[in-house]
Amino acid sequence: MRTASLCALASLAAGCRRAPPADAVTPAVLVSGDSSIPYPPDLYAQRVEGEVMLYVVVDSSGAVVRDSTRVTRSSGHAAFDAAALQAAPRLRFMPAHLGRVPVAAPIKVPIRFTLPDSLRRGSGGH
């Protein structure tokens, strides 16, 4: 299955030795769902790549809040935008934290539709 790749804009600092202050907010981090976004077949066949920026609200359990998703920056291709929106509810996150307490918070998530290197080379360079 052809899929898009994702990455969250924020990530947790690795290797921290001290607990964050009680009023510090740690942003949500994407942990799964990136392999579940199908590449629109017509755009794949045409060797088109793109990126959609989604805004989602992540609840305190790490799930996307229903009806919170919207496109903040279009890829310029309706099929990419639609695929990203359709897949958003399946994304899972480590929730944001206020101190040590998980909380709901918004996050922007770029969804990249990228062709395999073999197709890029075959297109005469990219």
Side-chain angles (χ1 to χ4, degrees), residues 3 14 16-18 23 26 35 39 41 45 49-51 53 55 69-70 73 80 85 97 100 112 118:
T3 59
C16 289
R17 294 183 186 186
R18 287 186 256 160
D23 60 348
T26 305
S35 62
Y39 210 109
E49 296 182 319
E51 179 178 283
M53 184 66 71
Y55 167 95
T69 306
R70 66 179 184 263
R73 189 178 69 236
F80 282 153
L85 285 169
H97 284 76
R100 294 184 180 197
R112 295 180 184 99
S118 61

PDB file of all heavy atoms in Angstrom, residues 3 14 16-18 23 26 35 39 41 45 49-51 53 55 69-70 73 80 85 97 100 112 118:
ATOM      1  N   THR A   3       1.675   4.948   0.922  1.00  0.00           N
ATOM      2  CA  THR A   3       1.222   5.771   2.037  1.00  0.00           C
ATOM      3  C   THR A   3       1.984   7.079   2.091  1.00  0.00           C
ATOM      4  O   THR A   3       3.040   7.227   1.492  1.00  0.00           O
ATOM      5  CB  THR A   3       1.419   5.048   3.383  1.00  0.00           C
ATOM      6  OG1 THR A   3       2.795   4.744   3.532  1.00  0.00           O
ATOM      7  CG2 THR A   3       0.595   3.783   3.457  1.00  0.00           C
ATOM      8  N   ALA A  14      14.445  14.347  24.749  1.00  0.00           N
ATOM      9  CA  ALA A  14      14.897  13.036  25.222  1.00  0.00           C
ATOM     10  C   ALA A  14      15.969  13.215  26.285  1.00  0.00           C
ATOM     11  O   ALA A  14      16.800  14.109  26.206  1.00  0.00           O
ATOM     12  CB  ALA A  14      15.437  12.228  24.050  1.00  0.00           C
ATOM     13  N   CYS A  16      15.787  14.036  29.510  1.00  0.00           N
ATOM     14  CA  CYS A  16      15.678  15.049  30.561  1.00  0.00           C
ATOM     15  C   CYS A  16      15.850  14.375  31.913  1.00  0.00           C
ATOM     16  O   CYS A  16      15.299  13.316  32.155  1.00  0.00           O
ATOM     17  CB  CYS A  16      14.317  15.744  30.513  1.00  0.00           C
ATOM     18  SG  CYS A  16      14.147  16.827  29.113  1.00  0.00           S
ATOM     19  N   ARG A  17      16.602  15.004  32.779  1.00  0.00           N
ATOM     20  CA  ARG A  17      16.843  14.409  34.093  1.00  0.00           C
ATOM     21  C   ARG A  17      15.956  15.000  35.161  1.00  0.00           C
ATOM     22  O   ARG A  17      15.747  14.405  36.195  1.00  0.00           O
ATOM     23  CB  ARG A  17      18.305  14.576  34.461  1.00  0.00           C
ATOM     24  CG  ARG A  17      19.142  13.774  33.512  1.00  0.00           C
ATOM     25  CD  ARG A  17      20.565  13.819  33.819  1.00  0.00           C
ATOM     26  NE  ARG A  17      21.224  13.105  32.724  1.00  0.00           N
ATOM     27  CZ  ARG A  17      22.476  12.834  32.692  1.00  0.00           C
ATOM     28  NH1 ARG A  17      23.258  13.191  33.667  1.00  0.00           N
ATOM     29  NH2 ARG A  17      23.000  12.189  31.681  1.00  0.00           N
ATOM     30  N   ARG A  18      15.440  16.185  34.921  1.00  0.00           N
ATOM     31  CA  ARG A  18      14.568  16.825  35.913  1.00  0.00           C
ATOM     32  C   ARG A  18      13.138  16.817  35.402  1.00  0.00           C
ATOM     33  O   ARG A  18      12.902  16.954  34.210  1.00  0.00           O
ATOM     34  CB  ARG A  18      15.000  18.270  36.140  1.00  0.00           C
ATOM     35  CG  ARG A  18      16.273  18.379  36.936  1.00  0.00           C
ATOM     36  CD  ARG A  18      16.562  19.806  37.244  1.00  0.00           C
ATOM     37  NE  ARG A  18      17.637  20.223  36.353  1.00  0.00           N
ATOM     38  CZ  ARG A  18      17.931  21.460  36.054  1.00  0.00           C
ATOM     39  NH1 ARG A  18      17.237  22.448  36.541  1.00  0.00           N
ATOM     40  NH2 ARG A  18      18.929  21.745  35.265  1.00  0.00           N
ATOM     41  N   ASP A  23       3.739  23.875  36.035  1.00  0.00           N
ATOM     42  CA  ASP A  23       2.910  24.644  35.113  1.00  0.00           C
ATOM     43  C   ASP A  23       3.445  24.615  33.684  1.00  0.00           C
ATOM     44  O   ASP A  23       2.940  25.303  32.809  1.00  0.00           O
ATOM     45  CB  ASP A  23       2.773  26.084  35.591  1.00  0.00           C
ATOM     46  CG  ASP A  23       4.117  26.802  35.688  1.00  0.00           C
ATOM     47  OD1 ASP A  23       5.175  26.138  35.606  1.00  0.00           O
ATOM     48  OD2 ASP A  23       4.099  28.028  35.858  1.00  0.00           O
ATOM     49  N   THR A  26       3.988  20.447  27.964  1.00  0.00           N
ATOM     50  CA  THR A  26       4.753  19.659  27.010  1.00  0.00           C
ATOM     51  C   THR A  26       3.801  19.331  25.874  1.00  0.00           C
ATOM     52  O   THR A  26       2.717  18.779  26.107  1.00  0.00           O
ATOM     53  CB  THR A  26       5.250  18.355  27.668  1.00  0.00           C
ATOM     54  OG1 THR A  26       5.990  18.685  28.838  1.00  0.00           O
ATOM     55  CG2 THR A  26       6.115  17.567  26.710  1.00  0.00           C
ATOM     56  N   SER A  35       1.290   5.246   8.779  1.00  0.00           N
ATOM     57  CA  SER A  35       1.271   4.286   7.681  1.00  0.00           C
ATOM     58  C   SER A  35      -0.137   4.041   7.154  1.00  0.00           C
ATOM     59  O   SER A  35      -0.327   3.221   6.271  1.00  0.00           O
ATOM     60  CB  SER A  35       1.890   2.965   8.135  1.00  0.00           C
ATOM     61  OG  SER A  35       1.135   2.422   9.189  1.00  0.00           O
ATOM     62  N   TYR A  39      -1.936   7.047  -0.509  1.00  0.00           N
ATOM     63  CA  TYR A  39      -1.544   8.027  -1.524  1.00  0.00           C
ATOM     64  C   TYR A  39      -2.642   8.031  -2.570  1.00  0.00           C
ATOM     65  O   TYR A  39      -3.014   6.985  -3.087  1.00  0.00           O
ATOM     66  CB  TYR A  39      -0.234   7.574  -2.156  1.00  0.00           C
ATOM     67  CG  TYR A  39       0.673   8.676  -2.654  1.00  0.00           C
ATOM     68  CD1 TYR A  39       1.848   8.955  -1.977  1.00  0.00           C
ATOM     69  CD2 TYR A  39       0.384   9.396  -3.805  1.00  0.00           C
ATOM     70  CE1 TYR A  39       2.721   9.935  -2.428  1.00  0.00           C
ATOM     71  CE2 TYR A  39       1.243  10.380  -4.251  1.00  0.00           C
ATOM     72  CZ  TYR A  39       2.407  10.644  -3.569  1.00  0.00           C
ATOM     73  OH  TYR A  39       3.269  11.618  -4.011  1.00  0.00           O
ATOM     74  N   PRO A  41      -4.349   7.567  -5.804  1.00  0.00           N
ATOM     75  CA  PRO A  41      -3.816   6.859  -6.970  1.00  0.00           C
ATOM     76  C   PRO A  41      -3.528   7.739  -8.185  1.00  0.00           C
ATOM     77  O   PRO A  41      -2.498   7.549  -8.850  1.00  0.00           O
ATOM     78  CB  PRO A  41      -4.896   5.827  -7.305  1.00  0.00           C
ATOM     79  CG  PRO A  41      -5.696   5.687  -6.053  1.00  0.00           C
ATOM     80  CD  PRO A  41      -5.592   6.988  -5.323  1.00  0.00           C
ATOM     81  N   ALA A  45       0.160   8.122  -9.802  1.00  0.00           N
ATOM     82  CA  ALA A  45       0.419   7.783 -11.212  1.00  0.00           C
ATOM     83  C   ALA A  45       1.044   8.958 -11.962  1.00  0.00           C
ATOM     84  O   ALA A  45       1.870   8.754 -12.861  1.00  0.00           O
ATOM     85  CB  ALA A  45      -0.875   7.341 -11.894  1.00  0.00           C
ATOM     86  N   GLU A  49       3.957  15.043  -5.810  1.00  0.00           N
ATOM     87  CA  GLU A  49       4.186  15.024  -4.376  1.00  0.00           C
ATOM     88  C   GLU A  49       3.538  16.261  -3.754  1.00  0.00           C
ATOM     89  O   GLU A  49       3.271  17.242  -4.461  1.00  0.00           O
ATOM     90  CB  GLU A  49       5.682  15.018  -4.054  1.00  0.00           C
ATOM     91  CG  GLU A  49       6.396  13.769  -4.528  1.00  0.00           C
ATOM     92  CD  GLU A  49       7.863  13.762  -4.167  1.00  0.00           C
ATOM     93  OE1 GLU A  49       8.521  14.814  -4.272  1.00  0.00           O
ATOM     94  OE2 GLU A  49       8.348  12.699  -3.757  1.00  0.00           O
ATOM     95  N   GLY A  50       3.315  16.218  -2.457  1.00  0.00           N
ATOM     96  CA  GLY A  50       2.740  17.385  -1.798  1.00  0.00           C
ATOM     97  C   GLY A  50       2.740  17.242  -0.292  1.00  0.00           C
ATOM     98  O   GLY A  50       3.045  16.184   0.252  1.00  0.00           O
ATOM     99  N   GLU A  51       2.396  18.347   0.367  1.00  0.00           N
ATOM    100  CA  GLU A  51       2.311  18.362   1.831  1.00  0.00           C
ATOM    101  C   GLU A  51       1.066  19.124   2.243  1.00  0.00           C
ATOM    102  O   GLU A  51       0.769  20.192   1.716  1.00  0.00           O
ATOM    103  CB  GLU A  51       3.541  19.034   2.436  1.00  0.00           C
ATOM    104  CG  GLU A  51       3.490  19.085   3.954  1.00  0.00           C
ATOM    105  CD  GLU A  51       4.721  19.712   4.567  1.00  0.00           C
ATOM    106  OE1 GLU A  51       5.748  19.029   4.627  1.00  0.00           O
ATOM    107  OE2 GLU A  51       4.645  20.892   4.954  1.00  0.00           O
ATOM    108  N   MET A  53      -0.815  20.641   5.711  1.00  0.00           N
ATOM    109  CA  MET A  53      -0.638  20.948   7.132  1.00  0.00           C
ATOM    110  C   MET A  53      -2.013  20.883   7.794  1.00  0.00           C
ATOM    111  O   MET A  53      -2.931  21.616   7.402  1.00  0.00           O
ATOM    112  CB  MET A  53      -0.042  22.336   7.334  1.00  0.00           C
ATOM    113  CG  MET A  53       0.240  22.669   8.787  1.00  0.00           C
ATOM    114  SD  MET A  53       1.514  21.658   9.547  1.00  0.00           S
ATOM    115  CE  MET A  53       2.965  22.292   8.719  1.00  0.00           C
ATOM    116  N   TYR A  55      -4.390  20.962  11.318  1.00  0.00           N
ATOM    117  CA  TYR A  55      -4.560  21.401  12.707  1.00  0.00           C
ATOM    118  C   TYR A  55      -5.484  20.370  13.333  1.00  0.00           C
ATOM    119  O   TYR A  55      -6.557  20.085  12.793  1.00  0.00           O
ATOM    120  CB  TYR A  55      -5.206  22.785  12.733  1.00  0.00           C
ATOM    121  CG  TYR A  55      -5.719  23.212  14.094  1.00  0.00           C
ATOM    122  CD1 TYR A  55      -4.927  23.982  14.936  1.00  0.00           C
ATOM    123  CD2 TYR A  55      -6.999  22.868  14.517  1.00  0.00           C
ATOM    124  CE1 TYR A  55      -5.405  24.385  16.181  1.00  0.00           C
ATOM    125  CE2 TYR A  55      -7.474  23.270  15.755  1.00  0.00           C
ATOM    126  CZ  TYR A  55      -6.676  24.029  16.581  1.00  0.00           C
ATOM    127  OH  TYR A  55      -7.135  24.431  17.800  1.00  0.00           O
ATOM    128  N   THR A  69     -10.381  18.590  13.254  1.00  0.00           N
ATOM    129  CA  THR A  69      -9.356  18.644  12.210  1.00  0.00           C
ATOM    130  C   THR A  69      -9.731  19.618  11.106  1.00  0.00           C
ATOM    131  O   THR A  69     -10.867  19.639  10.640  1.00  0.00           O
ATOM    132  CB  THR A  69      -9.142  17.250  11.603  1.00  0.00           C
ATOM    133  OG1 THR A  69      -8.870  16.337  12.657  1.00  0.00           O
ATOM    134  CG2 THR A  69      -7.993  17.244  10.621  1.00  0.00           C
ATOM    135  N   ARG A  70      -8.723  20.390  10.693  1.00  0.00           N
ATOM    136  CA  ARG A  70      -8.917  21.263   9.520  1.00  0.00           C
ATOM    137  C   ARG A  70      -7.573  21.440   8.823  1.00  0.00           C
ATOM    138  O   ARG A  70      -6.512  21.247   9.412  1.00  0.00           O
ATOM    139  CB  ARG A  70      -9.539  22.589   9.900  1.00  0.00           C
ATOM    140  CG  ARG A  70      -8.697  23.479  10.768  1.00  0.00           C
ATOM    141  CD  ARG A  70      -9.432  24.799  11.055  1.00  0.00           C
ATOM    142  NE  ARG A  70      -8.611  25.696  11.809  1.00  0.00           N
ATOM    143  CZ  ARG A  70      -8.655  25.844  13.122  1.00  0.00           C
ATOM    144  NH1 ARG A  70      -9.497  25.157  13.829  1.00  0.00           N
ATOM    145  NH2 ARG A  70      -7.857  26.700  13.721  1.00  0.00           N
ATOM    146  N   ARG A  73      -2.903  24.542   5.794  1.00  0.00           N
ATOM    147  CA  ARG A  73      -2.191  24.868   4.555  1.00  0.00           C
ATOM    148  C   ARG A  73      -2.437  23.735   3.577  1.00  0.00           C
ATOM    149  O   ARG A  73      -2.040  22.596   3.807  1.00  0.00           O
ATOM    150  CB  ARG A  73      -0.694  25.049   4.798  1.00  0.00           C
ATOM    151  CG  ARG A  73       0.023  25.607   3.549  1.00  0.00           C
ATOM    152  CD  ARG A  73       1.507  25.843   3.765  1.00  0.00           C
ATOM    153  NE  ARG A  73       2.193  24.571   3.896  1.00  0.00           N
ATOM    154  CZ  ARG A  73       2.950  24.210   4.915  1.00  0.00           C
ATOM    155  NH1 ARG A  73       3.138  25.012   5.945  1.00  0.00           N
ATOM    156  NH2 ARG A  73       3.532  23.035   4.945  1.00  0.00           N
ATOM    157  N   PHE A  80      -4.989  15.203  -2.107  1.00  0.00           N
ATOM    158  CA  PHE A  80      -4.079  15.109  -0.958  1.00  0.00           C
ATOM    159  C   PHE A  80      -4.769  15.636   0.298  1.00  0.00           C
ATOM    160  O   PHE A  80      -4.716  15.021   1.364  1.00  0.00           O
ATOM    161  CB  PHE A  80      -2.790  15.906  -1.182  1.00  0.00           C
ATOM    162  CG  PHE A  80      -1.765  15.254  -2.070  1.00  0.00           C
ATOM    163  CD1 PHE A  80      -0.880  16.036  -2.788  1.00  0.00           C
ATOM    164  CD2 PHE A  80      -1.645  13.872  -2.179  1.00  0.00           C
ATOM    165  CE1 PHE A  80       0.088  15.469  -3.602  1.00  0.00           C
ATOM    166  CE2 PHE A  80      -0.677  13.291  -2.986  1.00  0.00           C
ATOM    167  CZ  PHE A  80       0.190  14.088  -3.705  1.00  0.00           C
ATOM    168  N   LEU A  85      -7.321  14.621   5.620  1.00  0.00           N
ATOM    169  CA  LEU A  85      -8.465  14.833   6.511  1.00  0.00           C
ATOM    170  C   LEU A  85      -9.151  13.516   6.874  1.00  0.00           C
ATOM    171  O   LEU A  85      -9.534  13.303   8.023  1.00  0.00           O
ATOM    172  CB  LEU A  85      -9.475  15.780   5.862  1.00  0.00           C
ATOM    173  CG  LEU A  85      -9.089  17.255   5.847  1.00  0.00           C
ATOM    174  CD1 LEU A  85     -10.032  18.037   4.936  1.00  0.00           C
ATOM    175  CD2 LEU A  85      -9.079  17.833   7.249  1.00  0.00           C
ATOM    176  N   HIS A  97       1.064  17.518  28.037  1.00  0.00           N
ATOM    177  CA  HIS A  97       1.034  17.425  29.503  1.00  0.00           C
ATOM    178  C   HIS A  97       1.190  18.811  30.108  1.00  0.00           C
ATOM    179  O   HIS A  97       1.974  19.618  29.616  1.00  0.00           O
ATOM    180  CB  HIS A  97       2.167  16.531  30.020  1.00  0.00           C
ATOM    181  CG  HIS A  97       1.911  15.084  29.831  1.00  0.00           C
ATOM    182  ND1 HIS A  97       2.022  14.456  28.609  1.00  0.00           N
ATOM    183  CD2 HIS A  97       1.529  14.131  30.716  1.00  0.00           C
ATOM    184  CE1 HIS A  97       1.729  13.174  28.744  1.00  0.00           C
ATOM    185  NE2 HIS A  97       1.428  12.951  30.013  1.00  0.00           N
ATOM    186  N   ARG A 100       2.771  17.005  34.964  1.00  0.00           N
ATOM    187  CA  ARG A 100       2.697  15.554  34.738  1.00  0.00           C
ATOM    188  C   ARG A 100       1.293  15.082  34.365  1.00  0.00           C
ATOM    189  O   ARG A 100       1.071  13.885  34.220  1.00  0.00           O
ATOM    190  CB  ARG A 100       3.167  14.818  35.982  1.00  0.00           C
ATOM    191  CG  ARG A 100       4.628  15.043  36.257  1.00  0.00           C
ATOM    192  CD  ARG A 100       5.081  14.247  37.425  1.00  0.00           C
ATOM    193  NE  ARG A 100       6.501  14.495  37.660  1.00  0.00           N
ATOM    194  CZ  ARG A 100       7.254  13.731  38.392  1.00  0.00           C
ATOM    195  NH1 ARG A 100       6.747  12.673  38.973  1.00  0.00           N
ATOM    196  NH2 ARG A 100       8.521  14.022  38.557  1.00  0.00           N
ATOM    197  N   ARG A 112       3.028  14.497   4.601  1.00  0.00           N
ATOM    198  CA  ARG A 112       3.794  14.564   3.354  1.00  0.00           C
ATOM    199  C   ARG A 112       3.499  13.354   2.480  1.00  0.00           C
ATOM    200  O   ARG A 112       3.606  12.221   2.934  1.00  0.00           O
ATOM    201  CB  ARG A 112       5.281  14.628   3.668  1.00  0.00           C
ATOM    202  CG  ARG A 112       5.657  15.888   4.393  1.00  0.00           C
ATOM    203  CD  ARG A 112       7.151  15.952   4.699  1.00  0.00           C
ATOM    204  NE  ARG A 112       7.433  17.130   5.485  1.00  0.00           N
ATOM    205  CZ  ARG A 112       7.586  17.134   6.804  1.00  0.00           C
ATOM    206  NH1 ARG A 112       7.525  16.007   7.474  1.00  0.00           N
ATOM    207  NH2 ARG A 112       7.816  18.256   7.449  1.00  0.00           N
ATOM    208  N   SER A 118      12.774   5.490  -6.403  1.00  0.00           N
ATOM    209  CA  SER A 118      12.797   4.881  -7.733  1.00  0.00           C
ATOM    210  C   SER A 118      11.907   5.646  -8.709  1.00  0.00           C
ATOM    211  O   SER A 118      12.239   5.772  -9.887  1.00  0.00           O
ATOM    212  CB  SER A 118      12.366   3.418  -7.668  1.00  0.00           C
ATOM    213  OG  SER A 118      11.041   3.317  -7.166  1.00  0.00           O
TER     214      SER A 118
END
